[in-house]
Amino acid sequence: TVSGREIDCVKVGTGPRKCWIIHRQHPGESMASFYAEGLLNRLLALDDKWDNVSEKARELFTFYIVPNINPDGSANGYLRTNAAGSNLNREWCPSPSPPAADGSSTSEMYEAPTLHRSPEVYYLLKHMDETGCDAFLDIHGDEALPFNFLAGSQGMSVWGKRLEALHGAFLASYERANQDMQAKVSYDPDKPNEGMKNICSNQIADRFDCFSATLEMPFKECWGRPAGWGPERAGQLGASVLDALCYVQPYLRDKGDFWEGLPDKDAYVAPSSEY
């Protein structure tokens, strides 16, 4: 990190598909840590319970789990930045420089990631380039929408029938495994080819042509579900993602028109921020 802290990455499984799941880019979104705890407890069988899904997941995937990519921000009590003041979720590739304080624009590019401003992203991307990536999730919390939801890569050039079908099937399976997840409410999807490439899940989708999404959990109650959203249910949501990943694993690199054989219940649902 900027302050010299090491970033933990837990490698689990021996499967052919590489799955990366990262947490706490925004350190104030602490529900992401409880999600990571639930995921790792199940994946590593830390509760000493035999689980055929976690066993299958370890056979199908090699997981790279980063429980906290921004430990500097966590230690300093920051909401959205690292020790250099960078929002890591805007540091995943070069982008146009923002307007100056007087509103004037510049043709210069904002270079990212860099070792002095965002080493957390720099080193993670370097490692991902070495391992490859077939499925990716970036775990967050959202202050506005009172739902658990998935934000996809609809605005990227790689988005098409394949990624749409993967998104739909993954989310439908996730809903079946855990009713705290839902598909209808999310951020309004970007228009085709208008997505921001410097946002993490967009960049990963574009870079690896893979299923990639941002998963958001609420700070408020989870509407339409029993009261009491908190650490325990965030952990359960993390544990149940294994069901959804195992469900879509056969299709992640399928070069055929696999979506034509998927059941109607797995169809992609175009989300909206209206609720």
Side-chain angles (χ1 to χ4, degrees):
T1 69
V2 171
S3 298
R5 290 183 171 89
E6 292 185 352
I7 298 172
D8 293 324
C9 180
V10 184
K11 182 181 178 182
V12 185
T14 57
R17 296 287 174 243
K18 308 299 190 296
C19 179
W20 281 80
I21 305 178
I22 71 171
H23 310 72
R24 296 289 290 275
Q25 281 204 86
H26 296 151
E29 296 165 9
S30 55
M31 61 283 284
S33 283
F34 294 108
Y35 186 104
E37 185 176 42
L39 166 61
L40 286 168
N41 277 341
R42 187 182 189 191
L43 192 58
L44 296 170
L46 297 181
D47 55 7
D48 294 325
K49 294 180 181 178
W50 182 80
D51 182 348
N52 64 329
V53 174
S54 62
E55 183 177 54
K56 181 180 179 181
R58 294 191 299 271
E59 294 173 354
L60 294 176
F61 290 95
T62 299
F63 288 93
Y64 297 88
I65 311 296
V66 181
N68 189 344
I69 190 177
N70 192 353
D72 288 354
S74 299
N76 290 313
Y78 297 153
L79 177 62
R80 292 178 66 84
T81 66
N82 67 357
S86 299
N87 177 352
L88 293 184
N89 203 24
R90 301 295 184 272
E91 293 281 325
W92 289 79
C93 76
S95 60
S97 294
D102 61 4
S104 61
S105 60
T106 175
S107 59
E108 294 182 3
M109 293 294 289
Y110 178 87
E111 292 300 324
T114 66
L115 286 172
H116 72 276
R117 190 175 56 239
S118 47
E120 300 89 349
V121 175
Y122 178 91
Y123 286 115
L124 185 63
L125 264 181
K126 182 179 179 181
H127 195 31
M128 291 185 73
D129 285 338
E130 294 170 355
T131 65
C133 183
D134 301 300
F136 178 85
L137 289 171
D138 179 21
I139 312 302
H140 285 259
D142 184 80
E143 295 87 348
L145 294 176
F147 300 92
N148 292 295
F149 62 92
L150 211 63
S153 53
Q154 292 92 331
M156 306 309 293
S157 62
V158 295
W159 182 268
K161 288 186 177 180
R162 171 178 158 264
L163 290 185
E164 180 181 276
L166 285 172
H167 187 102
F170 174 86
L171 194 45
S173 177
Y174 210 159
E175 285 186 272
R176 294 192 290 270
N178 190 321
Q179 292 183 341
D180 277 332
M181 180 54 72
Q182 56 79 50
K184 294 181 179 179
V185 179
S186 178
Y187 303 137
D188 295 322
D190 293 321
K191 295 179 180 179
N193 299 310
E194 293 186 8
M196 296 172 60
K197 290 186 178 182
N198 60 334
I199 289 178
C200 176
S201 60
N202 282 346
Q203 174 60 208
I204 299 305
D206 191 61
R207 195 182 194 100
F208 297 101
D209 189 19
C210 70
F211 166 72
S212 177
T214 301
L215 187 149
E216 300 277 359
M217 291 176 281
F219 280 82
K220 307 172 183 177
E221 287 292 355
C222 188
W223 281 27
R225 299 288 299 142
W229 176 258
E232 182 178 358
R233 280 164 65 186
Q236 291 169 355
L237 194 68
S240 55
V241 74
L242 295 180
D243 297 81
L245 286 167
C246 287
Y247 185 75
V248 299
Q249 192 271 351
Y251 312 113
L252 290 173
R253 292 300 180 187
D254 192 327
K255 296 181 180 179
D257 297 342
F258 65 87
W259 52 86
E260 295 181 356
L262 291 175
D264 291 343
K265 64 181 181 180
D266 288 343
Y268 170 74
V269 176
S272 170
S273 61
E274 299 295 326
Y275 61 93

